[in-house]
Amino acid sequence: QVQLVESGGGLVQNGGSLRLSCAASGRNLSTYAMGWFRQAPGKEREFVAAISSSGSTASYADSVKGQFTISRDNDKNTVYLQMNSLKPEDTAVYYCAAGGGRWRTTTSYAYWGQGTQVTVSS
């Protein structure tokens, strides 16, 4: 089993930056692709970013490309999401997930964190 715990969310001003962390335990994270998803109130959960097990390849939603960066440190069993130039429309609960094969599809992930709230004020 894999347990995922997100941290780093909070309130930030428009244009600010935030770094989310996802710490894993139970199994070595190095064998899993990792993804970040977000869900705003009243909306469907959407893909944000994903990274291969080795960290050599990453994929991003068009809405965040060039603003967000996903990375991982397998020695620390942790995945990160660096978010820059944040806008109010980025406000959502952000979730990390492990196990994705088809990175942009929620059903490809076997394990999910509890989520962390990100709120961007205007």
Side-chain angles (χ1 to χ4, degrees):
Q1 297 294 315
V2 174
Q3 294 80 45
L4 304 174
V5 180
E6 299 100 334
S7 62
L11 177 64
V12 65
Q13 292 183 341
N14 188 13
S17 298
L18 209 60
R19 188 183 74 164
L20 305 183
S21 299
C22 177
S25 62
R27 293 183 182 179
N28 291 329
L29 204 60
S30 60
T31 63
Y32 297 94
M34 298 294 299
W36 285 96
F37 293 77
R38 66 186 181 186
Q39 188 167 20
K43 297 184 178 180
E44 295 182 349
R45 183 170 50 191
E46 66 174 347
F47 170 79
V48 176
I51 190 167
S52 63
S53 59
S54 67
S56 62
T57 305
S59 181
Y60 299 91
D62 290 340
S63 59
V64 304
K65 192 173 299 181
Q67 298 180 31
F68 290 8
T69 303
I70 188 171
S71 62
R72 67 192 301 161
D73 186 340
N74 286 340
D75 290 337
K76 296 182 178 179
N77 233 23
T78 302
V79 178
Y80 305 94
L81 184 68
Q82 178 66 46
M83 304 183 293
N84 298 325
S85 301
L86 284 165
K87 306 177 292 292
E89 50 262 45
D90 295 317
T91 296
V93 177
Y94 284 72
Y95 301 89
C96 68
R102 295 176 173 85
W103 292 356
R104 297 172 179 264
T105 305
T106 58
T107 55
S108 295
Y109 295 86
Y111 307 101
W112 293 83
Q114 84 289 345
T116 184
Q117 176 70 48
V118 172
T119 302
V120 184
S121 62
S122 59

